[in-house]
Structures are given as C-alpha cells and as structure tokens.
Amino acid sequence: MSAKAVPSAADATLRGGFLAAIFLMATSAIGPGFITQTATFTAKLGAAFAFAILASILIDFVVQLNIWRITALTRKNASETANAAIPGAGYLLAVLVMVGGLAFNVGNIAGAGLGLNAMFGLDPKIGGSLSALLAIGVFLSKRAGLLLDRSLIGLGILMIVMTVIVAVTSNPPVGEALRQTIFPDVIDFPTITTIVGGTVGGYITYSGAHRLLDKGLVGEQNLAAVTRASLTGIAVTGVMRFVLFLAILGVVASGVTLDLSSQAANPAAQAFAAALGDWGMRIFGVVLWAAAITSVIGAAYTSVSFLVAFMTMTDRSRNIATVIFITVSLAVFITIGTAPAALLVFVGGFNGLILPIGLTIFTYVGFARSDLMGGHRYNRPLLILSAIVCALTWYMGYRSIGPIFAFLGL
C-alpha cells in the first residue's frame, strides 16, 4: 500500500502566494467604484448590462493573462519592463497608474467612510479616517505581508457572501438577464470601457502580478500556475460583478427608481435598502466597507510599486512610501469630502483609457522582445488575442472618451 503524499511546506507557500495574488487583484478591482459603476449601469441599461459584463470579462481574461504571464517571464516590475522595451515608456506608465491610483484611493477612503456610516451611523469623514489609519497600520506592522494577504482573502469572501444574500432576496429576472447576456437590446461602448477599466485598468491588473514578483513566483517553471491564478482572479471579480448586478436588477425590475444624478446619489445603497430595508443598509455598509478598505490597501500597494521606475526601493522604504500615499489620499478626501457617484464611475473609465497603453507595451514585448523574457518564445495564439483586444481597447477608448469625461460634467 503506497504512502499518502503529504503536502510540503513549500507547496503550501506556493499556494498561499498565488492565492494572495488572486485576492489582491480581485479585491483591488472590487471597490466602491466597482459597486457604484455596477449599480449605475444596471439602473440605466437593465438586463442588457449583462452583455457588457460578459464582454468585459472576456476582455479582462486576455488582458490579465498576458500581463501576468509576461511579468512572470521578465521577472520585472511593469514599469521596468516598459522602460526596457521602449525607453521612457515605463515613466509614462508609472505616472498614469499612480495618478489613477491616487484618484481611485480618494474614492476608496470615501467609500470606507460611507460603509461605516451605513453600518453604525458614524460620520463618513471619521469613518474614512479610521479606515485609512487601519490600512496604514497594516503596512507599519512587522508582519505586513501576512496581514495583507489574510485580510484581503477574508474580506473578499465576506463581500461575495453578503452580496449573494441580497441577490437571492431581490428575486431578479435571471432568465431575462441570461438572454440579454448573449442577445442584448443595446450595446454601450462607454459602459464596457468603464467596467473593463474598473476591473483590469490602471493599477488593478498589475496588483496581482507585482504581488507574485514580491513572492518570487516567477519564471517558466511557474508559468502554468501564474496562468491559473490570473484566470481565477478575473473569475472571482466576474462572479462578484454578476451577483451584484443580479441583486440590483431585482430591485430595478420591481419598479424601484434609483437616484443616479444628485450629488448625494448612492444607487447601490438604495438598491440594498429596497431589497432588505434597514438590514439591507447594514449589509450594504459591510460590503462597501470591505470593498473599500481592501481597495485602499491594493491601490496604495500597487501604485507605490511603480515608484521603482524612478528610484531603488527596499521593502521598508516601499512600506513607508505606501503609508505616505494613503496619508495623501486621506488628506485629499478630508479636503473634498465624500466622492460623488459620478467621480467613482469616471475614475473607472479613466483607468479604461490608460489600459491600452500598458497592453500595447506588453503585447510588443511578447512579439518582439524575447530577450526580456529570458529567450522564451511567447505563446503566439495568446499574443494574437492580445493584439485583437489591444486594438479593441484603443477603439473603445476613442469612442468612449467624450462620454467618460461627461461623468464629470466636462
């Protein structure tokens, strides 16, 4: 009788590393902007929003799969890869990602404040400040890496479970949603661009890739596992997006009209309250706070990781820079107050406009710079898909730039 194989500590470490990257990416994507975008577009498009979700997931799979794999092969941070491929491109990418990350983080802190307000009636500025201080505590801890990984995984699971409860309660027209996933009544390019931007745009897709770098899970020997992890990360965000969509669709289909235009508009909160009353608001508070605090951590961690384009950084200096980044985000939040729903939707769209720049650079590396990947000849079918999606994201960005900036009233 053969002895049963016992998983080694190394295997457990590998699994933990990939799980950490998956949840860092997924929880970075699932923030207040993600929730507000989903609620806004569900209210506007109804069941037809299902097609936009499907289209975005397919695009997200290709984008993340290629960026994570190429990052693993180059063993370099995205900005370093970009600079090595096209001199100066890494600086441009770094600046765009950090600006987008800062804008997103102001909304994330605002969302954390609104979440605690919905749960406990706490003033949003006080709640946002306390949440930012909690995130700062994670990076000041001597066990920052372990705290980062465990908090993201636990809070990510909590968000999904809570949203499923509301989706079941709101009794959405699932059959109609499934029909319009394939045969939509309307196709809206700005919507697709915005939710792609909110899922893999800007800093988000690099968050998990850079976490893998930090854990040393790179090289050809880890390529199959990197592929699985990248696809799993998108699957997690796709499931959350669709479940949240169903939760809000059930409310909209019942005849409830959500406020989308006023300065105080919070369509997701209205939908949760309509589905479950006072308990719905408290569940919304839990979901929003968990989404916000994990996104504060993810946005800060990833945005600061792009600073290596400009300077050499140790783990300690990166943690200090991350604390400064969160502090600046908090100062901006306290100055301007709660970010309106329009700003949260706009930032997702802005990240969607940044996306084709980074994807173009990585597609070029895959096709023409095998020297940066240790001589590895990159998978051609994946590169062709990447080139197609790259062209599509440029086209969608061109079609969407006006409507996206219109969210700010510009």
Side-chain angles (χ1 to χ4, degrees):
M1 193 178 202
S2 62
K4 193 172 181 180
V6 178
S8 67
D11 290 337
T13 300
L14 279 174
R15 284 196 302 275
F18 285 114
L19 195 61
I22 288 165
F23 273 89
L24 178 61
M25 176 269 148
T27 54
S28 293
I30 304 168
F34 177 103
I35 292 170
T36 305
Q37 293 159 19
T38 304
T40 299
F41 293 131
T42 302
K44 283 185 175 180
L45 300 176
F49 183 47
F51 174 80
I53 294 174
L54 176 62
S56 72
I57 289 171
L58 295 176
I59 293 169
D60 296 343
F61 274 135
V62 174
V63 172
Q64 181 146 301
L65 183 60
N66 283 289
I67 288 178
W68 281 34
R69 283 168 56 92
I70 290 172
T71 298
L73 289 168
T74 62
R75 301 170 184 260
K76 295 179 186 294
N77 174 291
S79 54
E80 293 176 302
T81 297
N83 268 339
I86 306 169
Y91 301 127
L92 172 64
L93 186 61
V95 169
L96 288 173
V97 167
M98 287 189 290
V99 168
L102 181 64
F104 237 127
N105 230 24
V106 174
N108 291 336
I109 292 173
L114 289 173
L116 290 179
N117 175 262
M119 277 191 281
F120 307 118
L122 198 63
D123 180 276
K125 284 197 174 182
I126 294 175
S129 300
L130 290 174
S131 300
L133 291 174
L134 178 62
I136 286 171
V138 169
F139 289 101
L140 288 179
S141 167
K142 291 181 179 178
R143 304 182 73 189
L146 184 63
L147 270 177
L148 173 67
D149 295 343
R150 289 188 176 175
S151 61
L152 292 176
I153 293 169
L155 290 169
I157 293 170
L158 177 66
M159 277 190 284
I160 294 175
V161 170
M162 288 290 188
T163 309
V164 166
I165 291 171
V166 179
V168 171
T169 305
S170 72
N171 193 28
V174 176
E176 178 65 8
L178 291 175
R179 181 187 71 80
Q180 295 218 42
T181 301
I182 308 299
F183 303 108
D185 291 342
V186 61
I187 297 175
D188 191 291
F189 280 112
T191 295
I192 297 171
T193 302
T194 298
I195 63 174
V196 167
T199 308
V200 293
Y203 70 90
I204 297 170
T205 197
Y206 303 109
S207 58
H210 286 182
R211 192 66 182 148
L212 291 178
L213 276 180
D214 284 349
K215 289 181 171 291
L217 300 175
V218 293
E220 280 193 64
Q221 70 274 20
N222 284 309
L223 206 53
V226 168
T227 299
R228 289 194 298 272
S230 68
L231 296 178
T232 303
I234 294 300
V236 170
T237 58
V239 166
M240 181 63 180
R241 175 88 72 180
F242 203 78
V243 169
L244 182 60
F245 155 70
L246 288 177
I248 295 164
L249 180 64
V251 172
V252 172
S254 72
V256 174
T257 301
L258 303 181
D259 174 19
L260 302 178
S261 57
S262 74
Q263 183 71 10
N266 194 337
Q270 297 166 51
F272 275 56
L276 284 172
D278 186 55
W279 273 108
M281 275 301 291
R282 297 193 186 282
I283 289 176
F284 168 76
V286 173
V287 171
L288 185 65
W289 183 81
I293 191 68
T294 52
S295 291
V296 168
I297 292 169
Y301 168 87
T302 312
S303 297
V304 167
S305 73
F306 276 82
L307 278 176
V308 299
F310 305 98
M311 64 187 78
T312 301
M313 302 186 77
T314 64
D315 287 346
R316 176 169 169 73
S317 62
R318 270 184 58 174
N319 284 344
I320 292 171
T322 306
V323 167
I324 293 170
F325 186 89
I326 296 172
T327 303
V328 171
S329 304
L330 175 60
V332 174
F333 162 67
I334 290 172
T335 302
I336 70 169
T338 300
L343 178 60
L344 293 175
V345 176
F346 163 76
V347 174
F350 178 72
N351 272 358
L353 299 177
I354 295 173
L355 173 61
I357 296 172
L359 185 58
T360 298
I361 295 168
F362 273 78
T363 303
Y364 165 70
V365 170
F367 271 117
R369 297 300 303 269
S370 63
D371 58 311
L372 296 179
M373 299 183 289
H376 179 88
R377 188 178 187 276
Y378 196 80
N379 184 292
R380 260 35 193 178
L382 285 180
L383 277 180
I384 291 168
L385 284 175
S386 185
I388 292 169
V389 167
C390 190
L392 181 61
T393 54
W394 278 111
Y395 173 72
M396 290 195 309
Y398 167 75
R399 287 283 304 271
S400 307
I401 190 165
I404 286 170
F405 275 88
F407 279 114
L408 292 184
L410 300 176

